[in-house]
Amino acid sequence: GAGVSQSPSNKVTEKGKDVELRCDPISGHTALYWYRQSLGQGLEFLIYFQGNSAPDKSGLPSDRFSAERTGGSVSTLTIQRTQQEDSAVYLCASSFPSGGADTQYFGPGTRLTVL
Amino acid sequence: KQEVTQIPAALSVPEGENLVLNCSFTDSAIYNLQWFRQDPGKGLTSLLLIQSSQREQTSGRLNASLDKSSGRSTLYIAASQPGDSATYLCAVPSSGTYKYIFGTGTRLKVLA
C-alpha cells in the first residue's frame, strides 16, 4: 500500500513569505507527527495529532508555526513570515498506536529553503 | 527532561563485521523505544520497536535490546553489508507526552 507522502519535496521561498507543507498519512493511521531536521542537527518534534486534534503542540518554535489536520487524514503545516532559520527538512510521520506499539512511518520530507 | 545520546557518532567497518550501536536515555519512564535508519536525503525507515515490557526484538540481521533500568538500548547488526551504510537513530517518548526525542544518530559506513 501507499506510504506517507509529503508535498512539495522542495520549496524555496523568500524571507517574509508564508509557506504551506502538506502531509498525506497512511490510510487508517490515527496519529500524525511533524518533525524538523536542521542541517547537522537531530530531529526536533513539532506537533502531534490524534485524529483531528493536537494534544501536543509543545514543539512549535513560535506562533508563526501552525498546523491542522482534517478528516483524520491530511495535515498541513503552515509557516508564516518565514525566516532564514526556518530552513530545514520538515518530516511527517504517521502511526496506529496500539498498546505501547507506536511504530512511526515517515514520509520523504519537504526541504524548505528560505532566502 | 528526556535526553537521548548515541555513541559512537560515526563508525566505519569492513564488510562482514558484527557491530553494536548504543543509545542511552535519561528518563526510564518510557513505553517504547524505536530504532530507525536514515539514508542521505531521505526520510526515516523504522527498523525495530521495543515495548517497555520487552527485552529485545529481532528482525533479520538486526537485534535490539532494551534495559530500561539502566537507560540503555543497543542495536546489534550481524554480518554487516555495504547496504547497511546509513545513519541509525533511536527515539524514545518524553515521559507523559506524545513527544518523541531522537538521538543525533550514528553514521555507519560499511566498506566493501
Side-chain angles (χ1 to χ4, degrees):
Chain A
V4 178
S5 61
Q6 293 186 245
S7 61
S9 55
N10 278 285
K11 176 72 176 179
V12 180
T13 190
E14 293 179 349
K15 178 181 170 181
K17 295 283 177 81
D18 297 351
V19 296
E20 282 191 355
L21 312 180
R22 177 186 168 109
C23 172
D24 282 271
I26 292 172
S27 178
H29 278 193
T30 56
L32 187 147
Y33 301 79
W34 282 99
Y35 296 92
R36 178 168 72 172
Q37 188 171 34
S38 303
L39 190 63
Q41 299 196 14
L43 263 77
E44 176 188 6
F45 168 87
L46 297 178
I47 188 169
Y48 164 80
F49 285 94
Q50 178 61 36
N52 290 338
S53 63
D56 194 336
K57 307 179 183 181
S58 62
L60 294 178
S62 74
D63 59 7
R64 296 186 296 104
F65 287 72
S66 63
E68 65 174 11
R69 189 178 184 196
T70 55
S73 181
V74 172
S75 177
T76 303
L77 177 69
T78 301
I79 309 173
Q80 295 179 309
R81 304 180 304 281
T82 52
Q83 304 293 312
Q84 288 182 331
E85 62 262 28
D86 299 334
S87 296
V89 176
Y90 289 82
L91 292 162
C92 170
S94 71
S95 72
F96 186 77
S98 174
D102 185 25
T103 299
Q104 295 182 42
Y105 296 87
F106 279 77
T110 293
R111 181 176 297 278
L112 175 66
T113 303
V114 182
L115 302 176
Chain B
K1 179 187 169 187
Q2 181 73 275
E3 293 181 3
V4 181
T5 304
Q6 291 188 245
I7 293 173
L11 183 62
S12 186
V13 300
E15 181 176 8
E17 274 207 6
N18 302 323
L19 53 99
V20 174
L21 308 182
N22 298 290
C23 171
S24 60
F25 46 95
T26 54
D27 184 350
S28 63
I30 61 171
Y31 53 87
N32 69 45
L33 181 144
Q34 301 189 44
W35 281 95
F36 298 87
R37 71 175 275 168
Q38 185 173 30
D39 294 280
K42 302 283 179 64
L44 279 68
T45 300
S46 177
L47 296 174
L48 290 164
L49 180 149
I50 312 176
Q51 297 187 54
S52 61
S53 58
Q54 300 171 325
R55 298 277 303 180
E56 64 179 70
Q57 280 286 332
T58 297
S59 176
R61 294 182 293 106
L62 305 179
N63 175 278
S65 66
L66 174 63
D67 184 343
K68 277 183 56 177
S69 60
S70 66
R72 280 190 273 188
S73 175
T74 59
L75 179 67
Y76 176 82
I77 303 176
S80 58
Q81 302 172 357
D84 296 330
S85 298
T87 296
Y88 290 79
L89 299 155
C90 66
V92 293
S94 186
S95 180
T97 76
Y98 301 98
K99 177 177 179 176
Y100 273 81
I101 308 297
F102 282 74
T104 50
T106 293
R107 192 169 62 253
L108 172 66
K109 188 167 186 178
V110 180
L111 305 169

PDB file of all heavy atoms in Angstrom, chain A residues 16-46:
ATOM      1  N   GLY A  16      10.000  36.237   4.781  1.00  0.00           N
ATOM      2  CA  GLY A  16       8.783  37.015   4.972  1.00  0.00           C
ATOM      3  C   GLY A  16       7.542  36.430   4.315  1.00  0.00           C
ATOM      4  O   GLY A  16       6.418  36.825   4.656  1.00  0.00           O
ATOM      5  N   LYS A  17       7.730  35.475   3.400  1.00  0.00           N
ATOM      6  CA  LYS A  17       6.582  34.854   2.749  1.00  0.00           C
ATOM      7  C   LYS A  17       6.026  33.725   3.612  1.00  0.00           C
ATOM      8  O   LYS A  17       6.722  33.162   4.459  1.00  0.00           O
ATOM      9  CB  LYS A  17       7.006  34.282   1.374  1.00  0.00           C
ATOM     10  CG  LYS A  17       7.440  35.325   0.380  1.00  0.00           C
ATOM     11  CD  LYS A  17       6.250  36.030  -0.201  1.00  0.00           C
ATOM     12  CE  LYS A  17       6.656  37.142  -1.156  1.00  0.00           C
ATOM     13  NZ  LYS A  17       6.990  36.687  -2.478  1.00  0.00           N
ATOM     14  N   ASP A  18       4.770  33.365   3.373  1.00  0.00           N
ATOM     15  CA  ASP A  18       4.155  32.229   4.068  1.00  0.00           C
ATOM     16  C   ASP A  18       4.317  30.977   3.210  1.00  0.00           C
ATOM     17  O   ASP A  18       4.296  31.050   1.973  1.00  0.00           O
ATOM     18  CB  ASP A  18       2.661  32.485   4.276  1.00  0.00           C
ATOM     19  CG  ASP A  18       2.376  33.695   5.162  1.00  0.00           C
ATOM     20  OD1 ASP A  18       3.335  34.248   5.755  1.00  0.00           O
ATOM     21  OD2 ASP A  18       1.196  34.076   5.262  1.00  0.00           O
ATOM     22  N   VAL A  19       4.447  29.829   3.879  1.00  0.00           N
ATOM     23  CA  VAL A  19       4.513  28.558   3.152  1.00  0.00           C
ATOM     24  C   VAL A  19       3.589  27.544   3.795  1.00  0.00           C
ATOM     25  O   VAL A  19       3.324  27.594   5.006  1.00  0.00           O
ATOM     26  CB  VAL A  19       5.954  27.976   3.092  1.00  0.00           C
ATOM     27  CG1 VAL A  19       6.878  28.879   2.318  1.00  0.00           C
ATOM     28  CG2 VAL A  19       6.496  27.708   4.484  1.00  0.00           C
ATOM     29  N   GLU A  20       3.116  26.619   2.971  1.00  0.00           N
ATOM     30  CA  GLU A  20       2.283  25.505   3.452  1.00  0.00           C
ATOM     31  C   GLU A  20       2.916  24.203   3.010  1.00  0.00           C
ATOM     32  O   GLU A  20       3.231  24.026   1.834  1.00  0.00           O
ATOM     33  CB  GLU A  20       0.871  25.595   2.862  1.00  0.00           C
ATOM     34  CG  GLU A  20      -0.015  26.605   3.531  1.00  0.00           C
ATOM     35  CD  GLU A  20      -1.468  26.467   3.094  1.00  0.00           C
ATOM     36  OE1 GLU A  20      -1.759  25.645   2.191  1.00  0.00           O
ATOM     37  OE2 GLU A  20      -2.305  27.191   3.650  1.00  0.00           O
ATOM     38  N   LEU A  21       3.066  23.314   3.962  1.00  0.00           N
ATOM     39  CA  LEU A  21       3.628  21.999   3.691  1.00  0.00           C
ATOM     40  C   LEU A  21       2.536  20.969   3.966  1.00  0.00           C
ATOM     41  O   LEU A  21       1.829  21.064   4.971  1.00  0.00           O
ATOM     42  CB  LEU A  21       4.846  21.736   4.588  1.00  0.00           C
ATOM     43  CG  LEU A  21       5.899  22.855   4.655  1.00  0.00           C
ATOM     44  CD1 LEU A  21       7.031  22.452   5.585  1.00  0.00           C
ATOM     45  CD2 LEU A  21       6.408  23.210   3.287  1.00  0.00           C
ATOM     46  N   ARG A  22       2.460  19.967   3.079  1.00  0.00           N
ATOM     47  CA  ARG A  22       1.361  19.013   3.174  1.00  0.00           C
ATOM     48  C   ARG A  22       1.873  17.620   3.491  1.00  0.00           C
ATOM     49  O   ARG A  22       2.942  17.220   3.006  1.00  0.00           O
ATOM     50  CB  ARG A  22       0.595  18.993   1.857  1.00  0.00           C
ATOM     51  CG  ARG A  22      -0.543  17.990   1.789  1.00  0.00           C
ATOM     52  CD  ARG A  22      -1.139  17.943   0.398  1.00  0.00           C
ATOM     53  NE  ARG A  22      -2.039  16.808   0.239  1.00  0.00           N
ATOM     54  CZ  ARG A  22      -3.356  16.918   0.134  1.00  0.00           C
ATOM     55  NH1 ARG A  22      -3.939  18.104   0.177  1.00  0.00           N
ATOM     56  NH2 ARG A  22      -4.094  15.836  -0.017  1.00  0.00           N
ATOM     57  N   CYS A  23       1.068  16.894   4.279  1.00  0.00           N
ATOM     58  CA  CYS A  23       1.390  15.509   4.617  1.00  0.00           C
ATOM     59  C   CYS A  23       0.151  14.647   4.418  1.00  0.00           C
ATOM     60  O   CYS A  23      -0.921  14.956   4.958  1.00  0.00           O
ATOM     61  CB  CYS A  23       1.862  15.402   6.065  1.00  0.00           C
ATOM     62  SG  CYS A  23       2.076  13.698   6.658  1.00  0.00           S
ATOM     63  N   ASP A  24       0.311  13.562   3.652  1.00  0.00           N
ATOM     64  CA  ASP A  24      -0.744  12.576   3.486  1.00  0.00           C
ATOM     65  C   ASP A  24      -0.310  11.304   4.219  1.00  0.00           C
ATOM     66  O   ASP A  24       0.592  10.600   3.741  1.00  0.00           O
ATOM     67  CB  ASP A  24      -0.968  12.258   2.009  1.00  0.00           C
ATOM     68  CG  ASP A  24      -1.762  13.312   1.304  1.00  0.00           C
ATOM     69  OD1 ASP A  24      -3.004  13.198   1.313  1.00  0.00           O
ATOM     70  OD2 ASP A  24      -1.146  14.249   0.773  1.00  0.00           O
ATOM     71  N   PRO A  25      -0.941  10.994   5.331  1.00  0.00           N
ATOM     72  CA  PRO A  25      -0.501   9.831   6.117  1.00  0.00           C
ATOM     73  C   PRO A  25      -0.990   8.529   5.493  1.00  0.00           C
ATOM     74  O   PRO A  25      -1.780   8.535   4.540  1.00  0.00           O
ATOM     75  CB  PRO A  25      -1.176  10.061   7.461  1.00  0.00           C
ATOM     76  CG  PRO A  25      -2.432  10.789   7.121  1.00  0.00           C
ATOM     77  CD  PRO A  25      -2.070  11.676   5.956  1.00  0.00           C
ATOM     78  N   ILE A  26      -0.540   7.444   6.047  1.00  0.00           N
ATOM     79  CA  ILE A  26      -1.033   6.131   5.629  1.00  0.00           C
ATOM     80  C   ILE A  26      -2.501   6.022   6.033  1.00  0.00           C
ATOM     81  O   ILE A  26      -2.874   6.414   7.160  1.00  0.00           O
ATOM     82  CB  ILE A  26      -0.192   5.015   6.281  1.00  0.00           C
ATOM     83  CG1 ILE A  26       1.226   5.035   5.697  1.00  0.00           C
ATOM     84  CG2 ILE A  26      -0.842   3.647   6.081  1.00  0.00           C
ATOM     85  CD1 ILE A  26       2.208   4.104   6.380  1.00  0.00           C
ATOM     86  N   SER A  27      -3.314   5.518   5.125  1.00  0.00           N
ATOM     87  CA  SER A  27      -4.743   5.411   5.380  1.00  0.00           C
ATOM     88  C   SER A  27      -5.015   4.595   6.651  1.00  0.00           C
ATOM     89  O   SER A  27      -4.452   3.509   6.834  1.00  0.00           O
ATOM     90  CB  SER A  27      -5.423   4.738   4.181  1.00  0.00           C
ATOM     91  OG  SER A  27      -6.795   4.573   4.415  1.00  0.00           O
ATOM     92  N   GLY A  28      -5.850   5.145   7.519  1.00  0.00           N
ATOM     93  CA  GLY A  28      -6.213   4.452   8.755  1.00  0.00           C
ATOM     94  C   GLY A  28      -5.331   4.795   9.939  1.00  0.00           C
ATOM     95  O   GLY A  28      -5.659   4.440  11.077  1.00  0.00           O
ATOM     96  N   HIS A  29      -4.222   5.472   9.695  1.00  0.00           N
ATOM     97  CA  HIS A  29      -3.352   5.861  10.813  1.00  0.00           C
ATOM     98  C   HIS A  29      -3.968   7.061  11.532  1.00  0.00           C
ATOM     99  O   HIS A  29      -4.218   8.092  10.932  1.00  0.00           O
ATOM    100  CB  HIS A  29      -1.952   6.203  10.304  1.00  0.00           C
ATOM    101  CG  HIS A  29      -1.107   5.001  10.091  1.00  0.00           C
ATOM    102  ND1 HIS A  29       0.262   5.082   9.882  1.00  0.00           N
ATOM    103  CD2 HIS A  29      -1.404   3.688  10.077  1.00  0.00           C
ATOM    104  CE1 HIS A  29       0.762   3.868   9.737  1.00  0.00           C
ATOM    105  NE2 HIS A  29      -0.240   3.000   9.842  1.00  0.00           N
ATOM    106  N   THR A  30      -4.175   6.891  12.827  1.00  0.00           N
ATOM    107  CA  THR A  30      -4.839   7.944  13.584  1.00  0.00           C
ATOM    108  C   THR A  30      -3.871   8.993  14.120  1.00  0.00           C
ATOM    109  O   THR A  30      -4.252  10.119  14.369  1.00  0.00           O
ATOM    110  CB  THR A  30      -5.604   7.324  14.771  1.00  0.00           C
ATOM    111  OG1 THR A  30      -4.685   6.550  15.558  1.00  0.00           O
ATOM    112  CG2 THR A  30      -6.732   6.420  14.273  1.00  0.00           C
ATOM    113  N   ALA A  31      -2.619   8.597  14.306  1.00  0.00           N
ATOM    114  CA  ALA A  31      -1.617   9.519  14.859  1.00  0.00           C
ATOM    115  C   ALA A  31      -0.766  10.099  13.742  1.00  0.00           C
ATOM    116  O   ALA A  31      -0.421   9.407  12.781  1.00  0.00           O
ATOM    117  CB  ALA A  31      -0.731   8.807  15.881  1.00  0.00           C
ATOM    118  N   LEU A  32      -0.436  11.366  13.882  1.00  0.00           N
ATOM    119  CA  LEU A  32       0.393  12.047  12.889  1.00  0.00           C
ATOM    120  C   LEU A  32       1.339  12.995  13.616  1.00  0.00           C
ATOM    121  O   LEU A  32       0.929  13.709  14.536  1.00  0.00           O
ATOM    122  CB  LEU A  32      -0.492  12.820  11.893  1.00  0.00           C
ATOM    123  CG  LEU A  32       0.197  13.455  10.684  1.00  0.00           C
ATOM    124  CD1 LEU A  32      -0.734  13.427   9.481  1.00  0.00           C
ATOM    125  CD2 LEU A  32       0.684  14.853  10.988  1.00  0.00           C
ATOM    126  N   TYR A  33       2.603  12.963  13.203  1.00  0.00           N
ATOM    127  CA  TYR A  33       3.642  13.779  13.815  1.00  0.00           C
ATOM    128  C   TYR A  33       4.296  14.655  12.752  1.00  0.00           C
ATOM    129  O   TYR A  33       4.484  14.225  11.620  1.00  0.00           O
ATOM    130  CB  TYR A  33       4.765  12.909  14.401  1.00  0.00           C
ATOM    131  CG  TYR A  33       4.350  11.920  15.466  1.00  0.00           C
ATOM    132  CD1 TYR A  33       3.740  10.715  15.143  1.00  0.00           C
ATOM    133  CD2 TYR A  33       4.624  12.182  16.812  1.00  0.00           C
ATOM    134  CE1 TYR A  33       3.396   9.799  16.128  1.00  0.00           C
ATOM    135  CE2 TYR A  33       4.291  11.267  17.797  1.00  0.00           C
ATOM    136  CZ  TYR A  33       3.675  10.084  17.444  1.00  0.00           C
ATOM    137  OH  TYR A  33       3.341   9.177  18.421  1.00  0.00           O
ATOM    138  N   TRP A  34       4.691  15.844  13.154  1.00  0.00           N
ATOM    139  CA  TRP A  34       5.571  16.699  12.358  1.00  0.00           C
ATOM    140  C   TRP A  34       6.882  16.885  13.120  1.00  0.00           C
ATOM    141  O   TRP A  34       6.877  17.130  14.333  1.00  0.00           O
ATOM    142  CB  TRP A  34       4.951  18.074  12.100  1.00  0.00           C
ATOM    143  CG  TRP A  34       3.907  18.125  11.039  1.00  0.00           C
ATOM    144  CD1 TRP A  34       2.556  18.119  11.215  1.00  0.00           C
ATOM    145  CD2 TRP A  34       4.112  18.244   9.629  1.00  0.00           C
ATOM    146  NE1 TRP A  34       1.911  18.209  10.009  1.00  0.00           N
ATOM    147  CE2 TRP A  34       2.842  18.300   9.017  1.00  0.00           C
ATOM    148  CE3 TRP A  34       5.247  18.314   8.813  1.00  0.00           C
ATOM    149  CZ2 TRP A  34       2.675  18.409   7.637  1.00  0.00           C
ATOM    150  CZ3 TRP A  34       5.086  18.429   7.444  1.00  0.00           C
ATOM    151  CH2 TRP A  34       3.809  18.480   6.869  1.00  0.00           C
ATOM    152  N   TYR A  35       7.985  16.772  12.361  1.00  0.00           N
ATOM    153  CA  TYR A  35       9.320  16.997  12.904  1.00  0.00           C
ATOM    154  C   TYR A  35      10.074  17.942  11.979  1.00  0.00           C
ATOM    155  O   TYR A  35       9.725  18.103  10.805  1.00  0.00           O
ATOM    156  CB  TYR A  35      10.114  15.680  12.971  1.00  0.00           C
ATOM    157  CG  TYR A  35       9.562  14.626  13.900  1.00  0.00           C
ATOM    158  CD1 TYR A  35       8.670  13.654  13.426  1.00  0.00           C
ATOM    159  CD2 TYR A  35       9.954  14.569  15.228  1.00  0.00           C
ATOM    160  CE1 TYR A  35       8.186  12.663  14.275  1.00  0.00           C
ATOM    161  CE2 TYR A  35       9.476  13.578  16.078  1.00  0.00           C
ATOM    162  CZ  TYR A  35       8.597  12.634  15.595  1.00  0.00           C
ATOM    163  OH  TYR A  35       8.113  11.655  16.428  1.00  0.00           O
ATOM    164  N   ARG A  36      11.144  18.490  12.520  1.00  0.00           N
ATOM    165  CA  ARG A  36      12.030  19.332  11.721  1.00  0.00           C
ATOM    166  C   ARG A  36      13.455  18.825  11.906  1.00  0.00           C
ATOM    167  O   ARG A  36      13.870  18.496  13.032  1.00  0.00           O
ATOM    168  CB  ARG A  36      11.919  20.786  12.203  1.00  0.00           C
ATOM    169  CG  ARG A  36      12.828  21.746  11.491  1.00  0.00           C
ATOM    170  CD  ARG A  36      12.461  23.183  11.789  1.00  0.00           C
ATOM    171  NE  ARG A  36      12.807  23.588  13.143  1.00  0.00           N
ATOM    172  CZ  ARG A  36      12.701  24.855  13.550  1.00  0.00           C
ATOM    173  NH1 ARG A  36      12.231  25.780  12.732  1.00  0.00           N
ATOM    174  NH2 ARG A  36      13.027  25.182  14.786  1.00  0.00           N
ATOM    175  N   GLN A  37      14.198  18.790  10.806  1.00  0.00           N
ATOM    176  CA  GLN A  37      15.590  18.342  10.866  1.00  0.00           C
ATOM    177  C   GLN A  37      16.447  19.414  10.205  1.00  0.00           C
ATOM    178  O   GLN A  37      16.405  19.591   8.984  1.00  0.00           O
ATOM    179  CB  GLN A  37      15.762  16.988  10.153  1.00  0.00           C
ATOM    180  CG  GLN A  37      17.130  16.369  10.346  1.00  0.00           C
ATOM    181  CD  GLN A  37      17.173  14.945   9.803  1.00  0.00           C
ATOM    182  OE1 GLN A  37      16.526  14.613   8.812  1.00  0.00           O
ATOM    183  NE2 GLN A  37      17.930  14.077  10.460  1.00  0.00           N
ATOM    184  N   SER A  38      17.182  20.119  11.023  1.00  0.00           N
ATOM    185  CA  SER A  38      18.058  21.161  10.508  1.00  0.00           C
ATOM    186  C   SER A  38      19.430  20.578  10.225  1.00  0.00           C
ATOM    187  O   SER A  38      19.807  19.545  10.788  1.00  0.00           O
ATOM    188  CB  SER A  38      18.172  22.302  11.523  1.00  0.00           C
ATOM    189  OG  SER A  38      16.899  22.816  11.834  1.00  0.00           O
ATOM    190  N   LEU A  39      20.178  21.253   9.356  1.00  0.00           N
ATOM    191  CA  LEU A  39      21.475  20.754   8.918  1.00  0.00           C
ATOM    192  C   LEU A  39      22.359  20.487  10.113  1.00  0.00           C
ATOM    193  O   LEU A  39      22.586  21.356  10.950  1.00  0.00           O
ATOM    194  CB  LEU A  39      22.127  21.786   7.989  1.00  0.00           C
ATOM    195  CG  LEU A  39      23.381  21.293   7.254  1.00  0.00           C
ATOM    196  CD1 LEU A  39      23.023  20.140   6.337  1.00  0.00           C
ATOM    197  CD2 LEU A  39      24.009  22.434   6.464  1.00  0.00           C
ATOM    198  N   GLY A  40      22.834  19.241  10.189  1.00  0.00           N
ATOM    199  CA  GLY A  40      23.754  18.882  11.266  1.00  0.00           C
ATOM    200  C   GLY A  40      23.104  18.696  12.615  1.00  0.00           C
ATOM    201  O   GLY A  40      23.803  18.469  13.597  1.00  0.00           O
ATOM    202  N   GLN A  41      21.786  18.762  12.663  1.00  0.00           N
ATOM    203  CA  GLN A  41      21.110  18.589  13.954  1.00  0.00           C
ATOM    204  C   GLN A  41      20.166  17.397  13.895  1.00  0.00           C
ATOM    205  O   GLN A  41      19.831  16.896  12.837  1.00  0.00           O
ATOM    206  CB  GLN A  41      20.340  19.855  14.316  1.00  0.00           C
ATOM    207  CG  GLN A  41      21.226  21.064  14.443  1.00  0.00           C
ATOM    208  CD  GLN A  41      20.536  22.199  15.161  1.00  0.00           C
ATOM    209  OE1 GLN A  41      19.498  22.017  15.779  1.00  0.00           O
ATOM    210  NE2 GLN A  41      21.117  23.375  15.097  1.00  0.00           N
ATOM    211  N   GLY A  42      19.733  16.987  15.039  1.00  0.00           N
ATOM    212  CA  GLY A  42      18.830  15.852  15.124  1.00  0.00           C
ATOM    213  C   GLY A  42      17.408  16.250  14.786  1.00  0.00           C
ATOM    214  O   GLY A  42      17.113  17.397  14.455  1.00  0.00           O
ATOM    215  N   LEU A  43      16.525  15.283  14.853  1.00  0.00           N
ATOM    216  CA  LEU A  43      15.113  15.545  14.611  1.00  0.00           C
ATOM    217  C   LEU A  43      14.498  16.266  15.800  1.00  0.00           C
ATOM    218  O   LEU A  43      14.700  15.887  16.948  1.00  0.00           O
ATOM    219  CB  LEU A  43      14.347  14.234  14.402  1.00  0.00           C
ATOM    220  CG  LEU A  43      14.123  13.849  12.960  1.00  0.00           C
ATOM    221  CD1 LEU A  43      15.404  13.294  12.393  1.00  0.00           C
ATOM    222  CD2 LEU A  43      13.001  12.848  12.830  1.00  0.00           C
ATOM    223  N   GLU A  44      13.735  17.275  15.493  1.00  0.00           N
ATOM    224  CA  GLU A  44      13.096  18.091  16.517  1.00  0.00           C
ATOM    225  C   GLU A  44      11.582  17.929  16.371  1.00  0.00           C
ATOM    226  O   GLU A  44      11.022  18.210  15.312  1.00  0.00           O
ATOM    227  CB  GLU A  44      13.511  19.544  16.294  1.00  0.00           C
ATOM    228  CG  GLU A  44      12.882  20.557  17.197  1.00  0.00           C
ATOM    229  CD  GLU A  44      13.218  21.981  16.751  1.00  0.00           C
ATOM    230  OE1 GLU A  44      13.842  22.148  15.681  1.00  0.00           O
ATOM    231  OE2 GLU A  44      12.839  22.921  17.454  1.00  0.00           O
ATOM    232  N   PHE A  45      10.932  17.462  17.436  1.00  0.00           N
ATOM    233  CA  PHE A  45       9.484  17.300  17.432  1.00  0.00           C
ATOM    234  C   PHE A  45       8.803  18.659  17.325  1.00  0.00           C
ATOM    235  O   PHE A  45       9.197  19.617  18.003  1.00  0.00           O
ATOM    236  CB  PHE A  45       9.068  16.608  18.736  1.00  0.00           C
ATOM    237  CG  PHE A  45       7.604  16.623  19.026  1.00  0.00           C
ATOM    238  CD1 PHE A  45       6.771  15.632  18.524  1.00  0.00           C
ATOM    239  CD2 PHE A  45       7.038  17.608  19.816  1.00  0.00           C
ATOM    240  CE1 PHE A  45       5.409  15.633  18.812  1.00  0.00           C
ATOM    241  CE2 PHE A  45       5.688  17.625  20.112  1.00  0.00           C
ATOM    242  CZ  PHE A  45       4.874  16.634  19.604  1.00  0.00           C
ATOM    243  N   LEU A  46       7.762  18.730  16.500  1.00  0.00           N
ATOM    244  CA  LEU A  46       6.993  19.963  16.379  1.00  0.00           C
ATOM    245  C   LEU A  46       5.599  19.807  16.982  1.00  0.00           C
ATOM    246  O   LEU A  46       5.203  20.560  17.867  1.00  0.00           O
ATOM    247  CB  LEU A  46       6.887  20.385  14.914  1.00  0.00           C
ATOM    248  CG  LEU A  46       8.198  20.732  14.210  1.00  0.00           C
ATOM    249  CD1 LEU A  46       7.930  21.080  12.748  1.00  0.00           C
ATOM    250  CD2 LEU A  46       8.914  21.869  14.910  1.00  0.00           C
TER     251      LEU A  46
END
